[in-house]
Protein backbone atom coordinates (compact mmCIF):
# COMPACT_ATOMS: atom_id res chain seq x y z
CA UNK A 1 0.00 0.00 0.00
CA UNK A 2 1.13 3.53 -0.65
CA UNK A 3 2.36 5.74 2.15
CA UNK A 4 3.76 9.25 2.51
CA UNK A 5 5.76 10.35 5.53
CA UNK A 6 6.60 13.90 6.48
CA UNK A 7 8.71 13.50 9.58
CA UNK A 8 8.80 17.21 10.45
CA UNK A 9 5.56 18.29 12.07
CA UNK A 10 6.55 21.93 12.55
CA UNK A 11 9.43 24.17 11.48
CA UNK A 12 9.97 27.67 12.74
CA UNK A 13 12.36 30.04 10.96
CA UNK A 14 13.14 33.71 10.85
CA UNK A 15 12.38 35.59 7.66
CA UNK A 16 15.00 35.20 4.90
CA UNK A 17 16.20 31.87 6.21
CA UNK A 18 15.96 28.84 3.93
CA UNK A 19 13.72 25.96 4.96
CA UNK A 20 13.67 22.41 3.62
CA UNK A 21 10.69 20.11 4.02
CA UNK A 22 11.27 16.37 3.85
CA UNK A 23 8.96 13.88 2.16
CA UNK A 24 9.51 10.13 1.95
CA UNK A 25 7.10 7.88 0.08
CA UNK A 26 6.38 4.18 -0.34
CA UNK A 27 4.75 2.60 -3.36
CA UNK A 28 4.86 -0.66 -5.27
CA UNK A 29 3.80 0.98 -8.50
CA UNK A 30 6.48 1.72 -11.07
CA UNK A 31 4.59 4.73 -12.37
CA UNK A 32 3.46 7.26 -9.85
CA UNK A 33 3.09 10.97 -9.31
CA UNK A 34 4.20 13.18 -6.48
CA UNK A 35 2.70 16.50 -5.48
CA UNK A 36 3.22 19.33 -3.05
CA UNK A 37 0.33 21.42 -1.78
CA UNK A 38 0.26 24.47 0.48
CA UNK A 39 -2.55 25.03 2.96
CA UNK A 40 -2.69 28.59 4.32
CA UNK A 41 -4.87 29.41 7.34
CA UNK A 42 -7.87 29.90 5.03
CA UNK A 43 -7.94 26.12 4.56
CA UNK A 44 -7.81 25.75 0.80
CA UNK A 45 -5.13 23.43 -0.56
CA UNK A 46 -3.06 25.24 -3.16
CA UNK A 47 -1.28 23.15 -5.78
CA UNK A 48 2.47 23.82 -6.03
CA UNK A 49 4.06 21.09 -8.15
CA UNK A 50 3.50 17.70 -9.76
CA UNK A 51 6.31 15.31 -10.67
CA UNK A 52 6.07 11.90 -12.34
CA UNK A 53 8.24 8.97 -11.40
CA UNK A 54 10.21 9.06 -14.64
CA UNK A 55 11.34 12.64 -14.27
CA UNK A 56 14.05 12.99 -11.65
CA UNK A 57 15.14 16.44 -12.72
CA UNK A 58 15.16 18.93 -9.93
CA UNK A 59 12.97 21.94 -10.43
CA UNK A 60 13.16 25.56 -9.39
CA UNK A 61 10.28 27.99 -9.46
CA UNK A 62 11.11 31.37 -8.02
CA UNK A 63 12.00 30.85 -4.37
CA UNK A 64 10.75 27.25 -4.44
CA UNK A 65 12.82 24.24 -5.45
CA UNK A 66 12.23 20.51 -5.39
CA UNK A 67 14.67 17.61 -5.15
CA UNK A 68 13.32 14.25 -6.33
CA UNK A 69 15.47 11.17 -5.64
CA UNK A 70 14.02 7.78 -6.54
CA UNK A 71 16.95 5.97 -4.95
CA UNK A 72 15.90 7.22 -1.52
CA UNK A 73 12.15 7.57 -2.31
CA UNK A 74 12.27 11.21 -1.36
CA UNK A 75 10.77 14.37 -2.79
CA UNK A 76 12.03 17.29 -0.73
CA UNK A 77 10.94 20.89 -0.99
CA UNK A 78 13.03 23.97 -0.23
CA UNK A 79 11.86 27.52 0.27
CA UNK A 80 14.72 29.96 -0.23
CA UNK A 81 14.77 33.29 1.56
CA UNK A 82 11.50 32.57 3.36
CA UNK A 83 8.87 35.26 3.82
CA UNK A 84 6.07 35.64 6.34
CA UNK A 85 3.56 34.81 3.58
CA UNK A 86 5.14 31.35 3.34
CA UNK A 87 3.67 30.48 6.74
CA UNK A 88 1.33 27.58 6.08
CA UNK A 89 1.01 23.82 6.30
CA UNK A 90 2.69 22.02 3.42
CA UNK A 91 1.57 18.59 2.27
CA UNK A 92 3.35 16.05 0.13
CA UNK A 93 1.07 13.61 -1.72
CA UNK A 94 1.33 10.50 -3.89
CA UNK A 95 -0.88 9.16 -6.65
CA UNK A 96 -0.37 5.76 -8.25
CA UNK A 97 -1.17 5.09 -11.88
CA UNK A 98 -2.35 1.59 -11.03
CA UNK A 99 -5.04 2.93 -8.73
CA UNK A 100 -8.46 3.34 -10.30
CA UNK A 101 -9.19 6.96 -10.89
CA UNK A 102 -7.73 9.84 -8.97
CA UNK A 103 -6.69 9.23 -5.41
CA UNK A 104 -4.14 11.22 -3.47
CA UNK A 105 -2.43 9.79 -0.41
CA UNK A 106 -1.18 12.63 1.76
CA UNK A 107 1.57 12.90 4.29
CA UNK A 108 0.79 14.33 7.70
CA UNK A 109 1.89 17.81 6.70
CA UNK A 110 4.61 20.16 7.95
CA UNK A 111 3.61 23.43 9.54
CA UNK A 112 6.01 26.23 8.59
CA UNK A 113 6.07 29.35 10.70
CA UNK A 114 8.10 32.23 9.35
CA UNK A 115 8.71 34.95 11.90
CA UNK A 116 9.49 38.52 10.86
CA UNK B 1 -11.56 30.74 -14.80
CA UNK B 2 -13.43 30.28 -11.55
CA UNK B 3 -11.99 27.80 -9.08
CA UNK B 4 -13.66 24.97 -7.26
CA UNK B 5 -16.54 26.19 -5.14
CA UNK B 6 -18.04 24.48 -2.13
CA UNK B 7 -21.21 25.24 -0.24
CA UNK B 8 -21.89 25.79 2.51
CA UNK B 9 -18.58 26.95 3.97
CA UNK B 10 -19.62 26.26 7.56
CA UNK B 11 -22.19 23.91 9.00
CA UNK B 12 -23.25 22.96 12.51
CA UNK B 13 -25.30 19.81 13.03
CA UNK B 14 -26.21 17.57 15.92
CA UNK B 15 -25.56 13.86 16.32
CA UNK B 16 -27.92 11.67 14.37
CA UNK B 17 -28.73 14.26 11.74
CA UNK B 18 -27.69 14.02 8.12
CA UNK B 19 -25.90 16.57 5.99
CA UNK B 20 -25.35 17.28 2.29
CA UNK B 21 -22.34 19.17 1.00
CA UNK B 22 -22.05 20.54 -2.50
CA UNK B 23 -19.12 21.00 -4.85
CA UNK B 24 -18.90 22.74 -8.22
CA UNK B 25 -15.75 21.84 -10.15
CA UNK B 26 -13.66 24.06 -12.37
CA UNK B 27 -15.33 24.47 -15.75
CA UNK B 28 -14.34 21.60 -18.02
CA UNK B 29 -13.19 19.34 -15.21
CA UNK B 30 -14.96 16.00 -15.18
CA UNK B 31 -13.57 14.35 -12.06
CA UNK B 32 -14.52 15.34 -8.53
CA UNK B 33 -12.86 13.88 -5.44
CA UNK B 34 -13.72 14.35 -1.79
CA UNK B 35 -11.35 14.35 1.18
CA UNK B 36 -11.85 14.57 4.93
CA UNK B 37 -9.33 16.48 7.03
CA UNK B 38 -9.17 16.05 10.80
CA UNK B 39 -6.42 16.88 13.30
CA UNK B 40 -6.10 13.23 14.28
CA UNK B 41 -6.28 11.44 10.94
CA UNK B 42 -5.04 14.13 8.58
CA UNK B 43 -6.21 14.24 4.99
CA UNK B 44 -8.05 11.12 3.93
CA UNK B 45 -9.57 10.23 0.57
CA UNK B 46 -13.32 9.60 0.63
CA UNK B 47 -14.29 8.92 -2.98
CA UNK B 48 -13.99 10.10 -6.55
CA UNK B 49 -16.64 10.55 -9.22
CA UNK B 50 -16.17 10.68 -12.96
CA UNK B 51 -18.96 10.80 -15.52
CA UNK B 52 -21.55 10.34 -12.76
CA UNK B 53 -19.90 7.09 -11.62
CA UNK B 54 -17.94 6.42 -8.49
CA UNK B 55 -14.51 5.43 -9.71
CA UNK B 56 -12.65 4.98 -6.44
CA UNK B 57 -13.56 4.81 -2.79
CA UNK B 58 -11.62 5.24 0.43
CA UNK B 59 -12.02 3.36 3.66
CA UNK B 60 -15.06 5.07 5.15
CA UNK B 61 -18.34 3.60 6.42
CA UNK B 62 -21.42 3.47 4.26
CA UNK B 63 -22.83 6.52 6.04
CA UNK B 64 -20.66 8.52 3.66
CA UNK B 65 -22.02 8.63 0.14
CA UNK B 66 -21.86 10.86 -2.86
CA UNK B 67 -23.07 11.44 -6.34
CA UNK B 68 -22.20 13.40 -9.42
CA UNK B 69 -24.56 15.12 -11.80
CA UNK B 70 -24.35 15.40 -15.56
CA UNK B 71 -22.83 18.89 -15.27
CA UNK B 72 -20.03 17.38 -13.12
CA UNK B 73 -21.25 19.05 -9.93
CA UNK B 74 -21.06 16.71 -6.98
CA UNK B 75 -22.74 16.27 -3.64
CA UNK B 76 -21.59 14.38 -0.61
CA UNK B 77 -23.96 13.08 2.03
CA UNK B 78 -23.26 11.92 5.56
CA UNK B 79 -26.10 10.22 7.38
CA UNK B 80 -26.50 9.60 11.10
CA UNK B 81 -23.80 12.06 12.04
CA UNK B 82 -21.33 11.19 14.78
CA UNK B 83 -19.12 13.53 16.79
CA UNK B 84 -16.11 12.14 14.95
CA UNK B 85 -17.47 13.39 11.65
CA UNK B 86 -16.52 16.93 12.63
CA UNK B 87 -13.94 17.87 10.03
CA UNK B 88 -13.00 20.02 7.08
CA UNK B 89 -14.39 18.41 3.94
CA UNK B 90 -12.44 19.28 0.84
CA UNK B 91 -13.54 18.80 -2.72
CA UNK B 92 -11.09 18.66 -5.62
CA UNK B 93 -11.59 18.60 -9.36
CA UNK B 94 -9.40 17.53 -12.24
CA UNK B 95 -9.60 17.26 -16.01
CA UNK B 96 -9.47 13.45 -15.78
CA UNK B 97 -7.80 13.09 -19.18
CA UNK B 98 -5.84 10.37 -17.42
CA UNK B 99 -5.61 8.99 -13.92
CA UNK B 100 -3.42 10.94 -11.55
CA UNK B 101 -4.33 14.29 -13.05
CA UNK B 102 -3.52 17.28 -10.90
CA UNK B 103 -6.35 17.94 -8.48
CA UNK B 104 -7.38 21.49 -7.64
CA UNK B 105 -9.06 22.02 -4.33
CA UNK B 106 -11.93 24.16 -3.13
CA UNK B 107 -12.00 26.14 0.13
CA UNK B 108 -13.71 23.33 2.02
CA UNK B 109 -16.79 22.95 4.18
CA UNK B 110 -16.14 22.95 7.90
CA UNK B 111 -18.64 20.64 9.57
CA UNK B 112 -19.13 20.70 13.32
CA UNK B 113 -21.20 17.95 14.92
CA UNK B 114 -22.51 18.70 18.42
Amino acid sequence: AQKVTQAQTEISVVEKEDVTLDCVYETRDTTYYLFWYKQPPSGELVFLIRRNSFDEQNEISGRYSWNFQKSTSSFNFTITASQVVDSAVYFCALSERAAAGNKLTFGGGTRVLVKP
Amino acid sequence: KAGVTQTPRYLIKTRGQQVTLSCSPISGHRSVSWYQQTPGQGLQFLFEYFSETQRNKGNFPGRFSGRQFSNSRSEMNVSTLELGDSALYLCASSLATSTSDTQYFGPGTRLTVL
Side-chain angles (χ1 to χ4, degrees), chain B residues 36-110:
Chain B
Q36 181 196 63
Q37 185 177 24
T38 61
Q41 299 299 316
L43 275 158
Q44 293 186 288
F45 172 78
L46 280 157
F47 31 64
E48 184 219 4
Y49 286 87
F50 174 73
S51 289
E52 301 178 63
T53 301
Q54 187 179 86
R55 192 160 65 167
N56 203 344
K57 187 178 189 303
N59 189 24
F60 278 82
R63 300 186 296 107
F64 292 82
S65 64
R67 60 177 175 168
Q68 186 181 34
F69 302 95
S70 58
N71 61 359
S72 294
R73 190 177 69 84
S74 176
E75 287 182 348
M76 185 192 119
N77 185 274
V78 188
S79 63
T80 319
L81 284 166
E82 300 178 358
L83 295 178
D85 297 332
S86 294
L88 179 66
Y89 290 89
L90 291 161
C91 165
S93 75
S94 68
L95 280 169
T97 52
S98 65
T99 58
S100 304
D101 275 339
T102 298
Q103 294 183 40
Y104 296 90
F105 285 80
T109 294
R110 186 165 295 281

Side-chain angles (χ1 to χ4, degrees), chain A residues 32-33 35 37 39 42-47 50 91 95-108, chain B residues 9 31 33 35 37 43-45 48 55-58 88 90 94 96 98-107:
Chain A
Y32 52 89
Y33 303 83
F35 303 81
Y37 286 87
Q39 187 175 42
S42 61
E44 181 173 343
L45 282 170
V46 178
F47 166 72
R50 163 194 162 108
F91 291 94
S95 179
E96 296 175 323
R97 190 181 71 172
N102 267 328
K103 174 187 174 183
L104 287 171
T105 298
F106 285 91
Chain B
R9 293 293 311 279
S31 165
S33 299
Y35 294 83
Q37 185 177 24
L43 275 158
Q44 293 186 288
F45 172 78
E48 184 219 4
R55 192 160 65 167
N56 203 344
K57 187 178 189 303
L88 179 66
L90 291 161
S94 68
S98 65
T99 58
S100 304
D101 275 339
T102 298
Q103 294 183 40
Y104 296 90
F105 285 80

Side-chain angles (χ1 to χ4, degrees), chain A residues 100-116:
Chain A
N102 267 328
K103 174 187 174 183
L104 287 171
T105 298
F106 285 91
T110 299
R111 182 178 300 277
V112 173
L113 178 60
V114 181
K115 300 176 183 176

Side-chain angles (χ1 to χ4, degrees), chain B residues 22-40:
Chain B
S22 181
C23 173
S24 292
I26 293 171
S27 177
H29 284 195
R30 300 168 62 194
S31 165
V32 173
S33 299
W34 289 88
Y35 294 83
Q36 181 196 63
Q37 185 177 24
T38 61

